[in-house]
């Protein structure tokens, strides 16, 4: 009997069923009571692919042979109404109710409610054994569903309301305990049900457990024996099914792994492109201030050049003034000399006065004759002025040449000092190279001999040939030499590096065949690898203690670096510290690096292609032997270029000085010629004047001689006065000359200072231009790298789109649909790399091909046996525990439970007796009397009582499940009969026609009557 809003199931033993068909009575039905089941939908549930059951509002008879799927409907009702798997007794996990081979099952139950029905949907996931709940197609929680069901007064855990198939045996055999529990739960006080739950696990087991264990154990042993016969075939069938499912999932995951690999490459390239873009921007920003500084330096250099020219012009003017003063002093000396000469003449005249008086007339006559014989001389002053002007210009030219010679001499001294410094530095570098060559000669004599031959025969090769690597490699820090020497083999350290394969073969033929030398040679890759990028920036590895890749620790020529990147991957082998050594296990696990250097050790990591296990070997680093002495090749090359430039400059200066000295010598010779010409002109003019003066003087002398004697003392005084005046003028000229000389010296000093400043500014300008040119090279390289990365990113983007489309097609997804959660969960347990997936896929296909000749019916029978054995085993274990607990606790619980129970039984007994009286029987409810099975007569009476009770107006909904019924039972129009069929010849749901089936059955009936 059920109260309003409740429903119950009566059931007989059922077996597992396959696909199911549901048929409803077409009679009109009254309105459903609130809480009744209107519809049950199952998808991929137990034996069903898809099935929908629509029960009636009153009594529902579910009839079908054992194993057709009646119990599946019961399970769907229980699980769809928030019931636990333990209520059903078939399995302990909800995922086991999903049809085998499917990842998801659905149970949907529609309940009657005013004003609108409630539709409860439960999606069951196999992978993680979870459920998703929906109410009226909207997501919700289990708690909300339980609240809705409780509000409708539905109790799927009460056996008086809900009795599933797998608990029917338990309910029938232990009817006293089970019925008593349900009765207590329904009508007894709460504490009585609690006491009964405890006593149920103790008291009845004490009486029945020994016989029950013996019977059940025997049954269990027989079932296990039967199970062994099926076990091997079933295991092989399931093994093959697992392999096929795994193959399908691997084939689905493979395109996703391909897509993910390319996507990761795309992200890495995108990151590299962004870094290159930022680097390009930074380089452009760095170039601007350098160019601006170069422009400022050029302006300053031009201003200094203008000042130097101005100073040279001033020096030239002052030198000209000095020359003028020197000429004036020479003129004064000549005037003094003329005064002395006149004084001597007068003295001679006085001394010879007496003699000359006699001869004066004769001398006058002779001089007159001489004057008469001399032609009238033209005016010599224009010729004298022309000579003086030419001398003036000549002095200016000599001053300019002297200034140029002084400047060039100072420049030559500066170049000599710089040449000495460079020579000393080159000597130091050559000493280091000599040490390295001596080391090579001592350890590899044949290699040294080949080196000497190569240096004398480089013209025999088409392309560049690099000397042995131990000479070409230069460490930036000698402390890091041990890492490079431990990474590069000794044979390659003494190997010559060629850019051309043909050159290498020619070299080896000459060395090995002709000269019988044991040498090594390698060829750099045709496509340069020197600029290869590492797999990840070193900044990402700083947290593990890594500070650099091997390539950044040394310099080498381009072919050598290309070979080392290609052969030894020096661009992708990081170097760490003690911090790396202390966390080496974490470094190996997280970075997936294959070669690692710590402060004193080298680690090599290998992964097995078959077992996917990681093997690590570590060795201590050897001390460096070849690379401890390094030469900065860039510095050496720069010094040699500077030395060559200085030599060229010195040659140019010497040639210029030679030319200036020759010009200076020519100007001095011309100066002497002009001075001699000037002297001759002066002498010619003075001779005529002297003769005329002498004649006049002679006349005067003659008169004086005749009249009076000459006063020599007065002549001396006059001469001294004149000489003193001239000397005063000379002193003034010397003072002015000294002032001009000092001014010239100060101007030369200023000019020399300006020249030094100009040299310094020119050097700074050259340095800035060199830096700018280097920055321009870096800028072009950065631009090229950015374009290459951008193009690679575009190609990877297109590849990603194609691979994503392919992966979605394999999983049958639309372009805008995301990968379902069940696929994501399943993919997590599978290999993560293409190599592993392909190997695993081939292995699984091979294994699956080994399983043949298997039938799914064996699996069904085996699962049935397994389920029954599991139920029986769990049942026996549970009952044994109950007996053990009972022996300890029954005495404590019995008194608290028994007295209230007796009173309750007395009340029930009265009502029960009245019920049996209606069937013309006598019944009694007692704690110590067991019920017996019903005969067909009583079974019919009970069925009629159920129909009568369940088909009244406004009664609850009932479900009665049985594999068979008696004939000619009572029928009511409010009943609904649901037939369950199953088998290999079962019609599809869309082909089922109940009316056609009924007509066919009536026709067969009439044929039987005839």
């Amino acid at each position: 009997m059920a109260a309003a809003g409740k429903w119950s199931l009566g059931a007989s033993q059922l077996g597992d069923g396959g696909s199911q068909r549901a048929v409803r009575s077409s009679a009109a039905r009254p309105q459903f009571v609130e809480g009744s089941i209107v519809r049950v939908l199952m998808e991929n549930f137990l034996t069903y692919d898809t099935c929908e059951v629509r029960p009636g509002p009153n009594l529902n008879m579910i009839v079908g042979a054992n194993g057709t799927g009646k119990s599946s409907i019961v399970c769907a009702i229980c699980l769809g109404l928030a019931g636990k798997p333990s209520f059903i007794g078939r399995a302990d996990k909800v995922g086991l109710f999903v049809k085998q081979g499917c990842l998801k099952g659905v149970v949907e139950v529609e309940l009657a409610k005013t004003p609108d029905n409630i539709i409860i949907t439960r999606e069951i996931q196999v992978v993680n054994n979870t459920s998703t709940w929906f109410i009226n197609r909207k997501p919700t929680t289990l708690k909300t569903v339980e609240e809705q069901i409780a509000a409708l007064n539905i109790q799927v855990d009460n056996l008086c309301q809900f009795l599933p198939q797998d608990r029917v045996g338990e309910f029938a055999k232990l009817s006293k305990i089970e019925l008593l529990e349900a009765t207590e739960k329904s009508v007894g006080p709460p504490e009585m049900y609690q006491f009964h739950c405890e006593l149920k696990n103790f008291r009845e087991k004490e009486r029945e457990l020994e016989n029950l264990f013996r019977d059940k154990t025997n049954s269990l042993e027989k079932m296990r024996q039967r199970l062994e016969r099926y076990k091997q075939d079933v295991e092989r069938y399931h093994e093959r099914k697992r392999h096929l499912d795994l193959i399908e999932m691997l084939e689905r995951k493979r395109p996703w792994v391909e897509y993910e690999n390319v996507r990761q490459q795309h992200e890495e390239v995108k990151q590299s492109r962004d870094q290159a873009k930022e680097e390009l921007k930074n380089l452009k920003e760095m170039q601007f201030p350098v160019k601006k500084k170069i422009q400022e330096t050029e302006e300053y250099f031009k201003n200094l050049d203008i000042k130097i020219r101005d100073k040279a012009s001033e020096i030239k003017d002052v030198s000209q003034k000095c020359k003028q003063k020197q000429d004036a002093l020479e003129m004064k000396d000549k005037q003094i000399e003329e005064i002395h000469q006149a004084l001597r003449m007068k003295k001679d005249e006085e001394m010879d006065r007496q003699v000359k008086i006699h001869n004066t007339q004769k001398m006058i006559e002779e001089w007159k004759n001489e004057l008469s014989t001399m032609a009238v001389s033209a005016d010599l002053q224009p010729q004298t002025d022309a000579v003086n002007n030419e001398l003036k210009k000549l002095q200016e030219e000599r001053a300019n040449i002297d200034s140029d010679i002084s400047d060039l001499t100072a420049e030559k001294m500066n170049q000599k000092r710089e040449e000495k410094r460079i020579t000393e530095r080159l000597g130091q570098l050559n000493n280091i190279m000599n040490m390295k060559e001596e080391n090579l000669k001592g350890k590899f004599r044949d290699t040294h001999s080949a080196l000497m031959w190569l240096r004398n025969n480089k013209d025999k090769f088409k392309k560049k040939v690099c000397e042995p690597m131990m000479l070409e490699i230069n460490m930036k820090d000698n402390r890091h030499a041990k890492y490079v020497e431990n990474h590069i083999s000794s044979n390659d350290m003494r190997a010559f590096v060629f850019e051309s394969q043909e050159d290498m073969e020619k070299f080896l033929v000459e060395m090995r065949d002709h000269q019988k030398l044991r040498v090594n040679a390698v060829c750099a890759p045709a496509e340069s690898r020197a600029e290869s990028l590492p797999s990840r920036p070193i900044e990402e590895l700083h947290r593990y203690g890594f500070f650099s890749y091997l390539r950044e620790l040394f310099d080498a020529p381009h072919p050598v670096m290309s070979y080392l990147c290609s052969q030894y991957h020096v661009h992708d082998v990081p170097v760490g510290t003690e911090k790396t050594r202390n966390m080496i296990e974490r470094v190996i696990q997280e970075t997936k690096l294959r070669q690692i250097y710590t402060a004193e050790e080298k680690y090599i990591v290998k992964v097995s292609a078959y077992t996917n296990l990681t093997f690590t070997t570590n060795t201590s680093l050897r001390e460096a032997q070849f690379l401890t002495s390094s030469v900065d090749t860039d510095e050496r090359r720069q010094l040699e270029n500077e030395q060559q430039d200085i030599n060229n400059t010195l040659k140019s200066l010497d040639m210029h000085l030679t030319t200036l000295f020759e010009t200076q010598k020519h100007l001095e010779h011309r100066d002497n010629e002009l001075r001699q010409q000037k002297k001759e002109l002066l002498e010619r003019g003075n001779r005529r004047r002297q003769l005329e003066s002498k004649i006049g003087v002679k006349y005067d002398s003659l008169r004086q001689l005749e009249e009076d004697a000459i006063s020599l003392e007065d002549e001396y005084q006059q001469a001294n006065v004149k000489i003193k005046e001239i000397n005063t003028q000379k002193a003034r000229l010397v003072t002015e000359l000294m002032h001009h000389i000092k001014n010239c010296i100060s101007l030369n000093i200023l000019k020399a200072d300006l020249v030094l400043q100009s040299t310094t500014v020119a050097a700074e300008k050259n340095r800035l231009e060199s830096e700018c040119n280097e920055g321009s090279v870096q800028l072009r390289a950065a631009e090229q790298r950015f374009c290459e990365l951008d193009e690679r990113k575009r190609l990877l983007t297109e590849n990603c789109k194609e691979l994503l489309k392919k992966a979605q097609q394999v999983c049958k997804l639309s372009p805008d649909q995301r990968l379902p959660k069940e696929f994501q969960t399943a993919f997590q347990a599978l290999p993560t790399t293409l190599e592993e997936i392909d190997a695993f896929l081939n292995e699984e296909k091979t294994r699956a091909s080994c399983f043949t000749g298997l039938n799914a019916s064996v699996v069904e029978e085996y699962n049935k046996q397994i389920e029954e054995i599991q139920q029986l085993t769990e049942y026996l274990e549970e009952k044994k525990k109950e007996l053990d607990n009972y022996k300890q606790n029954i005495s404590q619980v019995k008194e608290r439970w028994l007295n209230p129970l007796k009173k309750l039984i007395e009340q029930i007994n009265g009502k029960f007796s009245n019920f049996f009286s209606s069937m013309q029987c006598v019944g009694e409810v007692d704690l110590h009397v067991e019920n017996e099975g019903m005969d067909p007569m009583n079974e019919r009476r009970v069925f009629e009582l159920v129909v009568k009770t369940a088909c009244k107006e406004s009664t609850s909904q009932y479900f009665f499940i049985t594999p068979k019924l008696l004939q000619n039972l009572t029928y009511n129009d409010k009943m609904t009969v649901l037939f369950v069929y199953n088998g290999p010849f079962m019609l599809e749901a869309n082909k089922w026609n109940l009316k056609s089936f009924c007509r066919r059955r009536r026709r067969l009936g009439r044929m039987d009557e005839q």
Side-chain angles (χ1 to χ4, degrees):
M1 184 172 66
K6 298 181 181 179
W7 46 271
S8 63
L9 287 172
S12 62
Q13 292 186 353
L14 297 174
D16 291 343
S19 61
Q20 173 174 316
R21 305 293 183 268
V23 183
R24 294 186 48 208
S25 173
S26 59
R29 296 190 301 268
Q31 184 69 29
F32 285 87
V33 175
E34 189 169 284
S36 298
I37 296 176
V38 177
R39 178 176 58 86
V40 179
L41 174 65
M42 295 165 283
E43 292 182 0
N44 298 330
F45 187 80
L46 288 176
T47 59
Y48 293 111
D49 291 331
T50 302
C51 180
E52 183 178 79
V53 179
R54 292 185 177 273
N58 299 104
L59 177 61
N60 291 276
M61 299 293 296
I62 301 178
V63 184
N66 288 336
T68 55
K70 303 185 298 300
S71 58
S72 298
I73 301 175
V74 178
C75 295
I77 292 173
C78 178
L79 297 179
L81 296 176
K84 300 178 181 178
S86 58
F87 294 168
I88 305 170
R90 298 189 62 163
D92 58 346
K93 296 181 180 179
V94 71
L96 298 176
F97 288 88
V98 178
K99 188 174 182 179
Q100 189 172 3
C102 298
L103 297 176
K104 181 179 73 173
V106 178
V107 174
E108 185 173 279
V109 180
E110 181 177 354
L111 300 176
K113 187 178 180 182
T114 305
D116 296 320
N117 291 350
I118 297 176
I119 300 175
I120 299 174
T121 305
R122 182 174 188 173
E123 291 185 358
I124 304 170
Q125 307 293 336
V126 175
V127 178
N128 50 9
N129 202 51
T130 58
S131 298
T132 305
W133 293 91
F134 301 87
I135 294 181
N136 295 331
R137 307 290 193 276
K138 295 181 180 180
T140 186
T141 61
L142 175 60
K143 184 177 180 181
T144 304
V145 174
E146 290 176 343
E147 291 174 355
Q148 290 283 351
I149 292 173
L152 296 173
N153 202 17
I154 298 173
Q155 302 176 15
V156 293
D157 57 344
N158 191 336
L159 292 180
C160 288
Q161 289 193 17
F162 183 83
L163 183 59
Q165 167 194 352
D166 295 279
R167 300 182 68 180
V168 169
E170 177 187 346
F171 181 79
K173 293 178 182 179
L174 304 173
S175 60
K176 178 171 62 176
I177 294 176
E178 297 293 334
L179 289 174
L180 182 60
E181 178 185 359
T183 302
E184 289 172 347
K185 186 176 179 181
S186 299
V187 298
E191 62 273 10
M192 181 180 292
Y193 172 71
Q194 181 180 358
F195 295 150
H196 185 200
C197 289
E198 296 177 11
L199 289 175
K200 183 185 70 172
N201 297 323
F202 307 137
R203 184 174 182 83
E204 192 162 334
K205 294 297 181 183
E206 185 182 33
R207 297 177 181 178
E208 300 178 358
L209 199 55
E210 291 183 359
N211 294 330
L212 184 61
F213 257 80
R214 183 173 58 255
D215 297 338
K216 296 298 182 183
T217 302
N218 293 335
S219 300
L220 183 61
E221 183 63 28
K222 293 178 182 179
M223 294 172 68
R224 285 176 176 170
Q225 292 175 1
R226 290 194 303 269
L227 188 66
E228 281 299 322
R229 294 194 295 268
Y230 295 105
K231 183 176 182 179
Q232 185 175 2
D233 288 343
V234 171
E235 287 179 351
R236 293 178 68 245
Y237 176 82
H238 283 303
E239 184 70 17
R240 178 175 179 273
K241 187 67 171 61
R242 284 194 295 272
H243 290 316
L244 293 176
D245 292 343
L246 189 55
I247 288 170
E248 181 181 3
M249 197 56 66
L250 285 169
E251 290 176 345
R252 288 179 175 177
K253 182 177 180 179
R254 192 181 189 283
W256 287 101
V257 173
E258 291 180 342
Y259 162 72
E260 183 62 24
N261 290 342
V262 176
R263 189 190 66 80
Q264 290 178 359
Q265 294 179 12
H266 174 268
E267 292 299 324
E268 293 174 358
V269 172
K270 179 181 178 184
Q271 184 178 3
S272 300
R273 188 204 66 165
D274 295 340
Q275 292 177 355
K277 184 177 182 181
E278 184 65 24
E279 180 182 352
L280 182 62
K281 179 181 177 183
N282 294 335
L283 287 174
K284 289 182 178 179
E285 292 177 353
M286 290 170 61
Q287 283 288 87
F288 177 75
V290 175
K291 291 182 178 179
K292 183 177 180 182
K293 195 168 183 180
I294 291 174
Q295 185 177 3
E296 294 174 353
T297 306
E298 288 178 349
E299 293 294 331
Y300 186 39
F301 182 78
K302 291 178 180 178
N303 292 334
L304 287 175
D305 189 56
I306 293 172
K307 291 181 180 179
I308 290 172
R309 288 199 295 271
D310 293 342
K311 292 300 178 184
S313 177
E314 292 180 13
I315 291 171
K316 183 178 180 181
D317 294 340
V318 173
S319 298
Q320 185 67 30
K321 291 180 180 178
C322 290
K323 181 64 178 175
Q324 293 175 356
K325 298 300 179 183
Q326 289 177 352
D327 292 342
L329 285 174
E330 290 178 359
M331 185 63 70
K332 295 299 179 183
D333 289 339
K334 289 180 180 181
Q335 291 178 359
I336 293 173
E337 181 63 27
E338 288 177 353
I339 292 173
H340 284 294
Q341 181 69 22
L343 186 61
R344 285 192 300 272
M345 290 174 66
K346 288 190 181 287
K347 183 178 178 181
D348 291 340
E349 289 177 1
E350 181 61 26
M351 290 174 63
D352 298 332
R353 181 177 64 86
Q354 294 297 329
V355 177
K356 290 181 178 181
I357 289 174
H358 182 268
N359 297 323
T360 299
Q361 185 66 39
K362 185 179 178 178
M363 292 175 67
I364 291 171
E365 291 296 327
E366 291 177 356
W367 287 344
K368 286 182 178 180
N369 294 331
E370 184 179 358
L371 286 174
S372 64
T373 59
M374 292 178 62
V376 180
S377 177
D379 189 6
L380 299 178
Q381 188 62 36
Q383 298 181 22
T384 304
D385 293 340
V387 171
N388 287 333
N389 291 332
E390 189 173 354
L391 281 173
K392 182 177 180 181
K393 293 179 180 179
L394 196 64
Q395 290 296 328
E396 292 178 357
E397 290 182 12
R398 290 183 64 186
N400 291 335
I401 290 176
D402 291 341
S403 176
D404 292 341
I405 291 174
S406 176
D407 294 343
L408 292 176
T409 304
E411 177 66 18
K412 183 176 180 181
M413 292 177 63
N414 292 335
Q415 294 293 331
K416 286 286 187 181
R417 286 194 295 271
E418 184 65 18
E419 182 185 26
K420 182 179 180 181
R421 182 189 68 79
I422 292 174
T423 303
E424 291 175 353
R425 180 56 183 162
L426 283 174
Q428 296 174 357
L429 297 180
N430 288 331
N431 288 336
I432 297 175
M433 285 300 298
N434 292 335
M435 291 172 58
K436 295 179 72 174
E437 290 184 16
E438 287 299 322
N439 189 14
L440 175 66
K441 182 178 180 181
K443 294 184 178 180
F444 310 109
R445 184 170 296 276
D446 286 359
T447 304
H448 184 266
S449 300
L451 175 64
M452 296 297 102
W453 181 89
L454 175 66
R455 289 180 176 175
N456 296 325
N457 296 276
K458 285 189 175 180
D459 57 337
K460 294 183 178 181
F461 301 101
K462 296 180 180 179
K463 294 187 178 181
K464 181 178 180 181
V465 181
C466 295
E467 296 181 356
M469 292 187 193
M470 61 181 293
L471 300 180
E472 296 287 6
I473 294 176
N474 288 285
M475 300 303 301
K476 297 180 180 178
D477 189 337
N478 292 337
R479 294 175 298 175
H480 299 150
K482 59 184 179 180
Y483 301 121
V484 179
E485 288 196 23
N486 278 271
H487 193 71
I488 303 173
S489 69
S490 176
N491 289 334
D492 279 353
M493 286 295 291
R494 58 190 176 95
F496 295 84
V497 182
F498 292 80
E499 287 187 331
S500 168
Q501 184 72 24
E502 181 182 352
D503 289 345
M504 184 180 73
E505 293 174 356
K506 181 189 296 184
F507 174 78
L508 291 177
V509 168
E510 175 66 27
M511 294 296 105
R512 294 179 179 175
D513 298 343
H514 297 166
Q515 300 189 24
K516 306 302 181 182
L517 298 178
R518 299 175 61 185
V519 296
N520 293 335
V522 297
C523 185
E527 183 178 354
S528 176
R529 299 287 300 277
E531 304 298 331
S532 298
L533 298 176
S535 58
R536 69 200 78 184
I538 192 63
E539 291 76 13
E540 295 183 6
L541 301 178
H542 283 170
R543 56 193 177 114
Y544 301 111
F546 294 107
F547 63 88
S548 175
Y549 287 106
L550 274 178
R551 182 176 63 184
E552 315 306 327
L553 301 181
F554 65 92
D555 292 323
H558 194 274
V560 176
M561 187 66 75
S562 178
Y563 174 78
L564 293 178
C565 289
S566 174
Q567 188 69 21
Y568 291 95
H569 304 286
V570 295
H571 63 286
D572 205 24
V573 177
V575 181
T577 58
E578 266 314 304
K579 177 181 177 182
T580 312
R581 173 66 183 85
N582 295 335
M583 56 188 303
I584 190 63
E585 292 184 0
R586 178 185 169 193
V587 172
I588 293 173
Q589 182 179 3
E590 294 182 1
T591 63
K592 308 298 183 183
L593 293 169
R594 293 294 178 262
Q595 293 191 66
I596 298 170
Y597 283 92
T598 63
E600 298 296 337
E601 290 181 325
K602 174 182 178 181
Y603 288 82
I604 298 177
V605 182
K606 297 182 179 179
V607 180
S608 173
Y610 299 98
T611 62
N612 202 29
L613 297 178
T614 300
F615 301 94
T616 304
T617 58
N618 64 306
T619 55
S620 298
L621 298 180
R622 305 187 309 275
E623 291 297 328
Q625 299 179 5
F626 308 121
L627 304 179
T628 52
S629 300
S630 297
V631 176
D632 190 341
T633 54
D634 292 337
E635 181 186 3
R636 182 178 180 179
R637 192 179 301 109
Q638 183 178 359
L639 289 174
E640 291 175 348
N641 293 334
E642 290 178 359
Q643 187 180 42
Q644 184 64 31
D645 293 341
I646 289 175
N647 290 334
N648 295 334
T649 302
L650 288 174
K651 290 180 180 178
S652 176
L653 290 174
D654 289 339
M655 292 176 62
H656 199 181
L657 282 172
T658 301
T659 303
L660 289 176
F661 284 139
E662 292 178 356
T663 304
Q664 185 183 43
K665 185 177 179 180
H666 173 72
L667 291 176
E668 288 179 353
H669 180 71
R670 178 62 179 164
D671 183 81
N672 293 333
E673 291 179 351
L674 291 175
R675 289 183 183 275
Q676 183 65 28
Q677 185 178 0
K678 179 180 178 182
K679 183 177 179 181
E680 292 176 354
L681 290 172
L682 290 174
E683 288 178 353
R684 288 175 61 188
N686 290 337
R687 179 63 181 170
R688 181 176 181 82
R689 286 194 299 272
Q690 286 176 357
L691 289 174
E692 291 176 351
S693 175
K694 285 180 179 180
I695 291 172
V697 170
K698 289 300 182 178
Y699 275 117
D700 292 339
S701 297
L702 183 59
R703 284 191 298 272
Q704 289 295 329
L705 288 172
E706 292 175 351
E707 293 176 359
D708 201 349
I710 298 174
S711 178
L712 295 176
E713 185 177 355
D714 293 338
E715 292 294 332
Y716 276 119
Q717 289 179 353
Q718 292 176 1
N720 288 334
V721 170
K722 291 179 180 180
I723 291 172
K724 185 176 181 180
E725 183 180 355
I726 293 171
N727 286 332
T728 301
Q729 294 176 358
K730 284 180 65 177
R732 185 171 63 254
L733 289 173
V734 170
T735 301
E736 293 177 356
L737 178 63
M738 292 301 298
H739 173 72
H740 288 314
I741 291 173
K742 289 180 181 181
N743 191 16
C744 184
I745 292 172
S746 63
L747 289 174
N748 276 295
I749 293 173
L750 291 175
K751 179 185 176 185
D753 183 59
L754 290 173
V755 169
L756 289 176
Q757 291 183 29
S758 177
T759 303
T760 304
V761 171
E764 178 66 15
K765 176 187 173 185
N766 293 333
R767 185 185 67 81
L768 291 175
E769 289 177 347
S770 177
E771 290 181 359
C772 184
N773 292 334
E774 292 176 358
S776 299
V777 172
Q778 294 178 358
L779 185 63
R780 289 193 296 271
E783 290 176 347
Q784 182 179 0
R785 181 169 178 265
F786 171 76
C787 294
E788 291 174 353
L789 289 173
D790 190 62
E791 177 63 17
R792 187 178 175 192
K793 174 183 173 295
R794 184 186 66 78
L795 296 176
L796 287 174
T797 301
E798 296 176 355
N799 197 8
C800 277
K801 292 180 180 179
E802 294 177 357
L803 290 176
L804 178 60
K805 182 178 180 181
K806 177 182 177 183
Q808 289 173 338
Q809 290 175 351
V810 171
C811 294
K812 299 179 180 179
L813 301 175
S814 59
D816 56 346
Q817 185 178 2
R818 298 177 61 85
L819 186 65
K821 188 175 182 182
E822 58 268 20
F823 283 161
Q824 296 179 14
T825 306
F827 286 171
Q828 290 176 358
L830 299 178
T832 56
T833 65
L834 290 176
E835 293 79 6
E836 294 172 345
I837 289 176
D838 291 339
F840 200 9
L841 193 59
N842 292 332
E843 182 180 351
E844 290 300 315
K845 288 181 178 180
T846 302
R847 291 180 178 178
S849 64
C850 296
F851 298 93
T852 57
L854 299 177
N855 194 336
S857 61
V858 177
V859 179
E860 295 178 3
E861 183 64 27
Y862 179 79
N863 289 338
K864 180 178 179 181
Q865 294 293 329
I866 285 287
E867 185 176 356
E868 292 177 357
I869 289 173
Q870 183 180 357
Q871 293 174 1
L872 186 56
T873 303
E874 292 176 355
Y875 177 78
L876 290 175
E877 291 177 355
E878 179 183 357
K879 295 309 174 184
K880 188 176 183 303
K881 291 179 182 179
E882 290 174 0
L883 180 60
D884 293 339
N885 292 333
Y886 167 77
K887 290 179 179 179
Q888 298 177 6
N889 301 315
I890 191 170
S891 59
Q892 300 176 4
V893 180
K894 182 177 180 181
E895 292 300 326
R896 290 181 293 173
W897 171 76
L898 188 56
N899 292 332
L901 179 61
K902 289 179 179 180
K903 294 180 181 178
L904 179 62
I905 292 301
E906 289 177 358
Q907 297 175 2
I908 295 174
N909 183 43
K911 297 181 179 180
F912 187 76
S913 298
N914 294 333
F915 175 74
F916 265 62
S917 296
S918 66
M919 296 190 296
Q920 299 177 359
C921 297
V922 176
E924 182 182 10
V925 177
D926 185 74
L927 290 176
H928 303 286
V929 179
E930 296 184 0
N931 291 323
E932 299 291 340
M934 291 185 293
D935 57 15
M937 183 179 294
N938 287 329
E939 183 180 347
R940 186 180 298 277
R941 290 177 179 175
V942 170
F943 182 80
E944 292 175 353
L945 184 60
V946 170
V947 172
K948 180 180 178 181
T949 302
C951 293
K952 293 181 181 179
E953 292 292 337
S954 301
T955 59
S956 300
Q957 188 181 41
Y958 287 82
F959 287 84
F960 189 88
I961 303 174
T962 179
K964 60 185 179 61
L965 289 173
L966 296 175
Q967 295 183 356
N968 301 320
L969 292 175
T970 304
Y971 176 76
N972 190 294
D973 290 339
K974 294 183 179 180
M975 292 172 56
T976 299
V977 182
L978 303 173
F979 295 95
V980 181
Y981 294 95
N982 194 6
F985 303 104
M986 191 65 197
L987 291 175
E988 298 292 337
N990 56 0
K991 297 180 181 180
W992 181 265
N993 190 320
L994 179 60
K995 294 181 178 180
S996 176
F997 175 77
C998 293
R999 287 195 300 268
R1000 182 172 178 273
R1001 185 68 187 90
R1002 285 195 296 269
R1003 186 169 61 252
L1004 291 175
R1006 288 195 296 271
M1007 292 174 63
D1008 291 340
E1009 291 176 358
Q1010 295 175 356

